[in-house]
Amino acid sequence: MKRFDLSEIMKTAHRNYKYFGKKQGKTFGEVLKATWRLAKIQVNFTPEAVKARTDKFLSERNEIMSKAAKAVRHEGYNNLNIPDSAYYNPYSTGKYGSHYVGD
């Protein structure tokens, strides 16, 4: 399986050298290296590569989420049976009778 289209890379390098490289004072070798770098970067953004990375990320995220869901909290962590007197004293009312807990 060909990974790169060599003909297209050479055509692009010649075109870039003809229209941009000479004006910028670059050699053909420098333009060809830049074209190869661009081609290698573009391989990472093909739809197949993006889908593979997305699938890998989602599977790792699902594993982490399942581990977090399995973690059991302590029984008394969110115990709502604690009376209000544990938080408020008689003088902790604000304007219009609101209670300030201090958090």
Side-chain angles (χ1 to χ4, degrees), residues 5 17 23-24 29 32 34 58 62 66 71 76 78 80 83 85-86 92 98:
D5 185 4
Y17 178 70
K23 293 177 184 175
Q24 295 175 355
L32 185 60
L58 291 176
N62 288 339
S66 65
N78 281 332
L80 300 178
S85 61
S92 66
S98 62

Side-chain angles (χ1 to χ4, degrees), residues 11-89:
K11 286 178 187 176
T12 305
H14 279 287
R15 191 177 319 115
N16 288 344
Y17 178 70
K18 182 178 178 181
Y19 294 112
F20 305 111
K22 284 182 184 177
K23 293 177 184 175
Q24 295 175 355
K26 293 183 179 181
T27 64
F28 180 73
E30 292 171 339
V31 174
L32 185 60
K33 283 181 185 179
T35 306
W36 266 106
R37 254 185 273 135
L38 180 63
K40 289 177 183 178
I41 289 171
Q42 286 177 339
V43 167
N44 293 331
F45 293 101
T46 59
E48 297 85 20
V50 171
K51 185 174 181 344
R53 283 195 309 270
T54 304
D55 292 342
K56 181 182 175 189
F57 170 76
L58 291 176
S59 66
E60 289 174 356
R61 190 177 115 217
N62 288 339
E63 288 176 13
I64 291 171
M65 295 300 284
S66 65
K67 287 179 184 177
K70 290 179 184 176
V72 179
R73 289 189 175 175
H74 189 264
E75 291 286 329
Y77 181 70
N78 281 332
N79 187 358
L80 300 178
N81 297 330
I82 300 173
D84 289 346
S85 61
Y87 299 110
Y88 308 114
N89 62 37

